[in-house]
Amino acid sequence: MLTITVCAALSAAGLAVSFLTAYRRRFVKATRLAAISLLPIGLAMAGLIGLGGKVIQAFSSWAADLVFKPTVWAGFAVLALAVVLYLVAGFAQARSGGGTRREPAEDGGRPAAPPAASPPALRRGGGREAAPAGEDFSDIEAILKKHGI
């Protein structure tokens, strides 16, 4: 209850300053002040201030346990061991050649030839075939030479 009261007072004070700023015809600054002024009461009404208090309390309890309980230190040691084992396994896999073995190809290890090109696509209308891939580009070459490219 006290938290909501304090937040409401903060918001009211901020809104008062924002109205004074608007009275001086600084509307953009007044709008920003009003937006910031509404944050405390909004956080309190949504319950996020109480949640923040619980998070801080939980973190401080964990930090105290970190200092005073050996089981927490043992937990960090186990986590460190897990990371080291994971990294060692990765290095071992990389050193052994990637972990997967491939059988050599029948043609002496050369990659397979790409598939043959498909026949040219048909144009819509007229039923004529599209221009072949090896089309004469002499007119384009002439334009490029004219511009020094």
mmCIF file with all atom_site columns, all heavy atoms in Angstrom, residues 135-149:
data_model
loop_
_atom_site.group_PDB
_atom_site.id
_atom_site.type_symbol
_atom_site.label_atom_id
_atom_site.label_alt_id
_atom_site.label_comp_id
_atom_site.label_asym_id
_atom_site.label_entity_id
_atom_site.label_seq_id
_atom_site.pdbx_PDB_ins_code
_atom_site.Cartn_x
_atom_site.Cartn_y
_atom_site.Cartn_z
_atom_site.occupancy
_atom_site.B_iso_or_equiv
_atom_site.pdbx_formal_charge
_atom_site.auth_seq_id
_atom_site.auth_comp_id
_atom_site.auth_asym_id
_atom_site.auth_atom_id
_atom_site.pdbx_PDB_model_num
ATOM 1   N N   . GLU A 1 135 ? 24.034 -16.941 -77.171 1.00 0.00 ? 135 GLU A N   1
ATOM 2   C CA  . GLU A 1 135 ? 23.561 -15.881 -78.040 1.00 0.00 ? 135 GLU A CA  1
ATOM 3   C C   . GLU A 1 135 ? 24.694 -14.909 -78.350 1.00 0.00 ? 135 GLU A C   1
ATOM 4   O O   . GLU A 1 135 ? 25.603 -14.705 -77.562 1.00 0.00 ? 135 GLU A O   1
ATOM 5   C CB  . GLU A 1 135 ? 22.416 -15.144 -77.343 1.00 0.00 ? 135 GLU A CB  1
ATOM 6   C CG  . GLU A 1 135 ? 21.772 -14.089 -78.202 1.00 0.00 ? 135 GLU A CG  1
ATOM 7   C CD  . GLU A 1 135 ? 20.611 -13.443 -77.493 1.00 0.00 ? 135 GLU A CD  1
ATOM 8   O OE1 . GLU A 1 135 ? 20.138 -13.997 -76.494 1.00 0.00 ? 135 GLU A OE1 1
ATOM 9   O OE2 . GLU A 1 135 ? 20.193 -12.395 -77.950 1.00 0.00 ? 135 GLU A OE2 1
ATOM 10  N N   . ASP A 1 136 ? 24.613 -14.286 -79.515 1.00 0.00 ? 136 ASP A N   1
ATOM 11  C CA  . ASP A 1 136 ? 25.627 -13.337 -79.954 1.00 0.00 ? 136 ASP A CA  1
ATOM 12  C C   . ASP A 1 136 ? 25.432 -12.021 -79.212 1.00 0.00 ? 136 ASP A C   1
ATOM 13  O O   . ASP A 1 136 ? 24.384 -11.390 -79.308 1.00 0.00 ? 136 ASP A O   1
ATOM 14  C CB  . ASP A 1 136 ? 25.517 -13.127 -81.466 1.00 0.00 ? 136 ASP A CB  1
ATOM 15  C CG  . ASP A 1 136 ? 26.615 -12.227 -81.985 1.00 0.00 ? 136 ASP A CG  1
ATOM 16  O OD1 . ASP A 1 136 ? 27.694 -12.197 -81.362 1.00 0.00 ? 136 ASP A OD1 1
ATOM 17  O OD2 . ASP A 1 136 ? 26.379 -11.548 -83.001 1.00 0.00 ? 136 ASP A OD2 1
ATOM 18  N N   . PHE A 1 137 ? 26.443 -11.593 -78.487 1.00 0.00 ? 137 PHE A N   1
ATOM 19  C CA  . PHE A 1 137 ? 26.391 -10.366 -77.710 1.00 0.00 ? 137 PHE A CA  1
ATOM 20  C C   . PHE A 1 137 ? 27.268 -9.289  -78.324 1.00 0.00 ? 137 PHE A C   1
ATOM 21  O O   . PHE A 1 137 ? 27.799 -8.439  -77.621 1.00 0.00 ? 137 PHE A O   1
ATOM 22  C CB  . PHE A 1 137 ? 26.850 -10.629 -76.268 1.00 0.00 ? 137 PHE A CB  1
ATOM 23  C CG  . PHE A 1 137 ? 25.907 -11.505 -75.499 1.00 0.00 ? 137 PHE A CG  1
ATOM 24  C CD1 . PHE A 1 137 ? 26.254 -12.802 -75.168 1.00 0.00 ? 137 PHE A CD1 1
ATOM 25  C CD2 . PHE A 1 137 ? 24.675 -11.018 -75.109 1.00 0.00 ? 137 PHE A CD2 1
ATOM 26  C CE1 . PHE A 1 137 ? 25.392 -13.596 -74.450 1.00 0.00 ? 137 PHE A CE1 1
ATOM 27  C CE2 . PHE A 1 137 ? 23.801 -11.818 -74.388 1.00 0.00 ? 137 PHE A CE2 1
ATOM 28  C CZ  . PHE A 1 137 ? 24.159 -13.107 -74.054 1.00 0.00 ? 137 PHE A CZ  1
ATOM 29  N N   . SER A 1 138 ? 27.427 -9.289  -79.637 1.00 0.00 ? 138 SER A N   1
ATOM 30  C CA  . SER A 1 138 ? 28.325 -8.340  -80.276 1.00 0.00 ? 138 SER A CA  1
ATOM 31  C C   . SER A 1 138 ? 27.838 -6.902  -80.117 1.00 0.00 ? 138 SER A C   1
ATOM 32  O O   . SER A 1 138 ? 28.650 -5.982  -79.953 1.00 0.00 ? 138 SER A O   1
ATOM 33  C CB  . SER A 1 138 ? 28.496 -8.674  -81.757 1.00 0.00 ? 138 SER A CB  1
ATOM 34  O OG  . SER A 1 138 ? 27.235 -8.634  -82.408 1.00 0.00 ? 138 SER A OG  1
ATOM 35  N N   . ASP A 1 139 ? 26.519 -6.680  -80.134 1.00 0.00 ? 139 ASP A N   1
ATOM 36  C CA  . ASP A 1 139 ? 26.026 -5.314  -79.970 1.00 0.00 ? 139 ASP A CA  1
ATOM 37  C C   . ASP A 1 139 ? 26.280 -4.799  -78.553 1.00 0.00 ? 139 ASP A C   1
ATOM 38  O O   . ASP A 1 139 ? 26.619 -3.638  -78.346 1.00 0.00 ? 139 ASP A O   1
ATOM 39  C CB  . ASP A 1 139 ? 24.543 -5.237  -80.318 1.00 0.00 ? 139 ASP A CB  1
ATOM 40  C CG  . ASP A 1 139 ? 23.715 -6.263  -79.560 1.00 0.00 ? 139 ASP A CG  1
ATOM 41  O OD1 . ASP A 1 139 ? 24.306 -7.212  -79.012 1.00 0.00 ? 139 ASP A OD1 1
ATOM 42  O OD2 . ASP A 1 139 ? 22.477 -6.098  -79.506 1.00 0.00 ? 139 ASP A OD2 1
ATOM 43  N N   . ILE A 1 140 ? 26.179 -5.660  -77.551 1.00 0.00 ? 140 ILE A N   1
ATOM 44  C CA  . ILE A 1 140 ? 26.476 -5.269  -76.175 1.00 0.00 ? 140 ILE A CA  1
ATOM 45  C C   . ILE A 1 140 ? 27.966 -4.998  -76.017 1.00 0.00 ? 140 ILE A C   1
ATOM 46  O O   . ILE A 1 140 ? 28.366 -4.030  -75.367 1.00 0.00 ? 140 ILE A O   1
ATOM 47  C CB  . ILE A 1 140 ? 25.992 -6.342  -75.196 1.00 0.00 ? 140 ILE A CB  1
ATOM 48  C CG1 . ILE A 1 140 ? 24.470 -6.468  -75.284 1.00 0.00 ? 140 ILE A CG1 1
ATOM 49  C CG2 . ILE A 1 140 ? 26.414 -6.024  -73.768 1.00 0.00 ? 140 ILE A CG2 1
ATOM 50  C CD1 . ILE A 1 140 ? 23.893 -7.590  -74.497 1.00 0.00 ? 140 ILE A CD1 1
ATOM 51  N N   . GLU A 1 141 ? 28.785 -5.852  -76.642 1.00 0.00 ? 141 GLU A N   1
ATOM 52  C CA  . GLU A 1 141 ? 30.230 -5.638  -76.584 1.00 0.00 ? 141 GLU A CA  1
ATOM 53  C C   . GLU A 1 141 ? 30.609 -4.313  -77.227 1.00 0.00 ? 141 GLU A C   1
ATOM 54  O O   . GLU A 1 141 ? 31.472 -3.591  -76.720 1.00 0.00 ? 141 GLU A O   1
ATOM 55  C CB  . GLU A 1 141 ? 30.953 -6.788  -77.274 1.00 0.00 ? 141 GLU A CB  1
ATOM 56  C CG  . GLU A 1 141 ? 30.911 -8.086  -76.506 1.00 0.00 ? 141 GLU A CG  1
ATOM 57  C CD  . GLU A 1 141 ? 31.592 -9.220  -77.253 1.00 0.00 ? 141 GLU A CD  1
ATOM 58  O OE1 . GLU A 1 141 ? 32.287 -8.959  -78.257 1.00 0.00 ? 141 GLU A OE1 1
ATOM 59  O OE2 . GLU A 1 141 ? 31.431 -10.367 -76.825 1.00 0.00 ? 141 GLU A OE2 1
ATOM 60  N N   . ALA A 1 142 ? 29.954 -3.953  -78.310 1.00 0.00 ? 142 ALA A N   1
ATOM 61  C CA  . ALA A 1 142 ? 30.255 -2.688  -78.976 1.00 0.00 ? 142 ALA A CA  1
ATOM 62  C C   . ALA A 1 142 ? 29.909 -1.510  -78.082 1.00 0.00 ? 142 ALA A C   1
ATOM 63  O O   . ALA A 1 142 ? 30.668 -0.521  -78.000 1.00 0.00 ? 142 ALA A O   1
ATOM 64  C CB  . ALA A 1 142 ? 29.481 -2.598  -80.290 1.00 0.00 ? 142 ALA A CB  1
ATOM 65  N N   . ILE A 1 143 ? 28.790 -1.582  -77.387 1.00 0.00 ? 143 ILE A N   1
ATOM 66  C CA  . ILE A 1 143 ? 28.416 -0.496  -76.471 1.00 0.00 ? 143 ILE A CA  1
ATOM 67  C C   . ILE A 1 143 ? 29.424 -0.388  -75.334 1.00 0.00 ? 143 ILE A C   1
ATOM 68  O O   . ILE A 1 143 ? 29.835 0.715   -74.954 1.00 0.00 ? 143 ILE A O   1
ATOM 69  C CB  . ILE A 1 143 ? 26.990 -0.735  -75.941 1.00 0.00 ? 143 ILE A CB  1
ATOM 70  C CG1 . ILE A 1 143 ? 25.968 -0.622  -77.071 1.00 0.00 ? 143 ILE A CG1 1
ATOM 71  C CG2 . ILE A 1 143 ? 26.656 0.249   -74.827 1.00 0.00 ? 143 ILE A CG2 1
ATOM 72  C CD1 . ILE A 1 143 ? 24.581 -1.049  -76.683 1.00 0.00 ? 143 ILE A CD1 1
ATOM 73  N N   . LEU A 1 144 ? 29.826 -1.541  -74.783 1.00 0.00 ? 144 LEU A N   1
ATOM 74  C CA  . LEU A 1 144 ? 30.797 -1.512  -73.684 1.00 0.00 ? 144 LEU A CA  1
ATOM 75  C C   . LEU A 1 144 ? 32.143 -0.958  -74.142 1.00 0.00 ? 144 LEU A C   1
ATOM 76  O O   . LEU A 1 144 ? 32.784 -0.183  -73.433 1.00 0.00 ? 144 LEU A O   1
ATOM 77  C CB  . LEU A 1 144 ? 30.962 -2.911  -73.103 1.00 0.00 ? 144 LEU A CB  1
ATOM 78  C CG  . LEU A 1 144 ? 29.761 -3.468  -72.338 1.00 0.00 ? 144 LEU A CG  1
ATOM 79  C CD1 . LEU A 1 144 ? 30.010 -4.912  -71.953 1.00 0.00 ? 144 LEU A CD1 1
ATOM 80  C CD2 . LEU A 1 144 ? 29.465 -2.628  -71.118 1.00 0.00 ? 144 LEU A CD2 1
ATOM 81  N N   . LYS A 1 145 ? 32.591 -1.320  -75.365 1.00 0.00 ? 145 LYS A N   1
ATOM 82  C CA  . LYS A 1 145 ? 33.861 -0.796  -75.883 1.00 0.00 ? 145 LYS A CA  1
ATOM 83  C C   . LYS A 1 145 ? 33.758 0.699   -76.137 1.00 0.00 ? 145 LYS A C   1
ATOM 84  O O   . LYS A 1 145 ? 34.716 1.433   -75.924 1.00 0.00 ? 145 LYS A O   1
ATOM 85  C CB  . LYS A 1 145 ? 34.237 -1.524  -77.186 1.00 0.00 ? 145 LYS A CB  1
ATOM 86  C CG  . LYS A 1 145 ? 34.747 -2.924  -76.949 1.00 0.00 ? 145 LYS A CG  1
ATOM 87  C CD  . LYS A 1 145 ? 35.123 -3.578  -78.251 1.00 0.00 ? 145 LYS A CD  1
ATOM 88  C CE  . LYS A 1 145 ? 35.549 -5.006  -78.027 1.00 0.00 ? 145 LYS A CE  1
ATOM 89  N NZ  . LYS A 1 145 ? 35.872 -5.697  -79.281 1.00 0.00 ? 145 LYS A NZ  1
ATOM 90  N N   . LYS A 1 146 ? 32.587 1.150   -76.561 1.00 0.00 ? 146 LYS A N   1
ATOM 91  C CA  . LYS A 1 146 ? 32.388 2.566   -76.833 1.00 0.00 ? 146 LYS A CA  1
ATOM 92  C C   . LYS A 1 146 ? 32.556 3.385   -75.536 1.00 0.00 ? 146 LYS A C   1
ATOM 93  O O   . LYS A 1 146 ? 33.079 4.488   -75.554 1.00 0.00 ? 146 LYS A O   1
ATOM 94  C CB  . LYS A 1 146 ? 30.975 2.779   -77.405 1.00 0.00 ? 146 LYS A CB  1
ATOM 95  C CG  . LYS A 1 146 ? 30.646 4.232   -77.681 1.00 0.00 ? 146 LYS A CG  1
ATOM 96  C CD  . LYS A 1 146 ? 29.231 4.334   -78.228 1.00 0.00 ? 146 LYS A CD  1
ATOM 97  C CE  . LYS A 1 146 ? 28.816 5.788   -78.354 1.00 0.00 ? 146 LYS A CE  1
ATOM 98  N NZ  . LYS A 1 146 ? 27.417 5.906   -78.782 1.00 0.00 ? 146 LYS A NZ  1
ATOM 99  N N   . HIS A 1 147 ? 32.117 2.825   -74.418 1.00 0.00 ? 147 HIS A N   1
ATOM 100 C CA  . HIS A 1 147 ? 32.235 3.517   -73.132 1.00 0.00 ? 147 HIS A CA  1
ATOM 101 C C   . HIS A 1 147 ? 33.536 3.194   -72.424 1.00 0.00 ? 147 HIS A C   1
ATOM 102 O O   . HIS A 1 147 ? 33.737 3.614   -71.275 1.00 0.00 ? 147 HIS A O   1
ATOM 103 C CB  . HIS A 1 147 ? 31.050 3.159   -72.242 1.00 0.00 ? 147 HIS A CB  1
ATOM 104 C CG  . HIS A 1 147 ? 29.756 3.727   -72.756 1.00 0.00 ? 147 HIS A CG  1
ATOM 105 N ND1 . HIS A 1 147 ? 29.440 5.054   -72.623 1.00 0.00 ? 147 HIS A ND1 1
ATOM 106 C CD2 . HIS A 1 147 ? 28.717 3.137   -73.401 1.00 0.00 ? 147 HIS A CD2 1
ATOM 107 C CE1 . HIS A 1 147 ? 28.259 5.270   -73.166 1.00 0.00 ? 147 HIS A CE1 1
ATOM 108 N NE2 . HIS A 1 147 ? 27.782 4.115   -73.652 1.00 0.00 ? 147 HIS A NE2 1
ATOM 109 N N   . GLY A 1 148 ? 34.410 2.423   -73.024 1.00 0.00 ? 148 GLY A N   1
ATOM 110 C CA  . GLY A 1 148 ? 35.712 2.116   -72.440 1.00 0.00 ? 148 GLY A CA  1
ATOM 111 C C   . GLY A 1 148 ? 35.681 1.078   -71.343 1.00 0.00 ? 148 GLY A C   1
ATOM 112 O O   . GLY A 1 148 ? 36.556 1.058   -70.489 1.00 0.00 ? 148 GLY A O   1
ATOM 113 N N   . ILE A 1 149 ? 34.707 0.217   -71.393 1.00 0.00 ? 149 ILE A N   1
ATOM 114 C CA  . ILE A 1 149 ? 34.604 -0.817  -70.361 1.00 0.00 ? 149 ILE A CA  1
ATOM 115 C C   . ILE A 1 149 ? 35.084 -2.138  -70.924 1.00 0.00 ? 149 ILE A C   1
ATOM 116 O O   . ILE A 1 149 ? 34.768 -2.532  -71.994 1.00 0.00 ? 149 ILE A O   1
ATOM 117 C CB  . ILE A 1 149 ? 33.145 -0.947  -69.851 1.00 0.00 ? 149 ILE A CB  1
ATOM 118 C CG1 . ILE A 1 149 ? 32.728 0.374   -69.250 1.00 0.00 ? 149 ILE A CG1 1
ATOM 119 C CG2 . ILE A 1 149 ? 33.020 -2.051  -68.858 1.00 0.00 ? 149 ILE A CG2 1
ATOM 120 C CD1 . ILE A 1 149 ? 31.278 0.431   -68.822 1.00 0.00 ? 149 ILE A CD1 1
#
